[in-house]
Amino acid sequence: MRPPDERRRTFEQVYEACHDPVLGYVLRRADNAHDAADILAETFLTAWRRLEDMPRGDAARPWLYGIARRVLANHYRGVRRRLVLTERLRAELAASYRPVEHDDDLTAVAAAFRALSEDDRELLSLVGWESLDPGQIATALGCSRNAVRIRLHRARRRFARELEARAVGGPTVRARVAKGEHA
C-alpha cells in the first residue's frame, strides 16, 4: 500500500484527468443531472476505495467507465425496484381503500379545514390526528411550547370562523372547536 500522501496525489491526478470525460459518460446515460451527480460521486468513491487496482495512465479512464457503468446499472435496478414496489402498493391500496361516505356536514367541515393555511392545518392535524400535546408539537416544529399554544389558539379560532361561514354544526360545536375541545 502506498503512503497516504502518494495515494492522495495519485487519486487527485486521476480525478483531474478523468472527471470531465466520466461526467460526460454519466450525463449521457442518466435521467437527470441530480442522478448523474450521485452516480459520478459513487464512481469516484469506488475508485478511491479500489485505488490499488486502478490501472495507471490512459487505462484509468476506461477503468472508470467500467465502474460508472456498474454504478449506473445498480442505480437503474434500484429505480425499477422502487417502481415495482410503488405499483404494488398502489394496487393494494386501490383494492382495500373504500372512501368514507360523507354527509353534507362532513363535506363542509373538510372544506373549512382545506380553507385554512397550511400552517394552521398542520397544527390542528398534529393535535387531532397525531394526538400530540403542545410540548411534542413544539419539538416537531422546532419552536417553544408557548408559541405552539398561541398558534394553536389562533388556528382553532380561524377554524371555528370557517365552520361558522359554512354553517357547520351549531354554535356549541363551533365554540368547542375554538376552545380546543373535541366536538
Side-chain angles (χ1 to χ4, degrees), residues 23 26-28 30-41 72 75:
L23 176 60
V26 170
L27 281 170
R28 286 185 288 276
D31 290 335
N32 59 61
H34 295 290
D35 288 348
D38 290 345
I39 292 163
L40 180 70
L72 276 157
H75 169 77

Side-chain angles (χ1 to χ4, degrees), residues 78-140:
V79 168
R80 283 190 300 275
R81 279 192 303 268
R82 283 188 296 279
L83 288 174
V84 166
L85 178 59
T86 300
E87 285 304 314
R88 190 179 85 216
L89 289 173
R90 185 176 290 128
E92 287 174 8
L93 286 173
S96 64
Y97 176 72
R98 298 289 178 255
V100 177
E101 296 293 325
H102 295 292
D103 62 10
D104 290 339
D105 245 11
L106 194 52
T107 301
V109 169
F113 187 76
R114 283 191 306 273
L116 298 173
S117 71
E118 185 175 332
D119 289 341
D120 285 352
R121 287 192 313 266
E122 180 66 10
L123 271 171
L124 295 173
S125 296
L126 288 171
V127 170
W129 294 336
E130 310 309 330
S131 301
L132 298 183
D133 65 37
Q136 294 168 320
I137 294 171
T139 300

